[in-house]
Amino acid sequence: AASDVYKRQHNDLVELAIALQEQGVIVDATGQRAGYAPLLRLLCDAFGIRVDNIYVKKTFVLDRSDSASFLRKLLAAFDRTVEEHLK
């Protein structure tokens, strides 16, 4: 249902923000690694999605054991694209 898609979009953005923070690939204006909240706000602005209770959602995403996570799917799509390109 639409509600499931909505939840999945939120969880996907939260998952991406956590991964970006952990990797330290985005820095703030002072050169410091961007934190979870600023990264999630940036992603929400970029995708036009509002996520409330960001730390509750972060805990939920970290607590779940979902083998079909957004990042796994994203990486698999990238790997397929690279394989196709190299043929």
Side-chain angles (χ1 to χ4, degrees), residues 25-82:
V25 296
I26 298 178
V27 296
D28 63 18
T30 67
Q32 299 295 313
R33 289 171 57 159
Y36 165 72
L39 283 169
L40 186 56
R41 279 193 298 272
L42 177 73
L43 292 169
C44 286
D45 288 348
F47 291 100
I49 296 173
R50 180 175 175 190
V51 177
D52 295 317
N53 303 315
I54 65 172
Y55 290 101
V56 171
K57 289 209 168 70
K58 180 180 180 181
T59 300
F60 172 79
V61 167
L62 292 173
D63 285 347
R64 70 182 174 157
S65 57
D66 185 355
S67 62
S69 75
F70 170 68
L71 292 177
R72 283 188 180 86
K73 292 176 186 175
L74 195 61
L75 184 57
F78 176 76
D79 288 343
R80 284 191 304 274
T81 301
V82 170

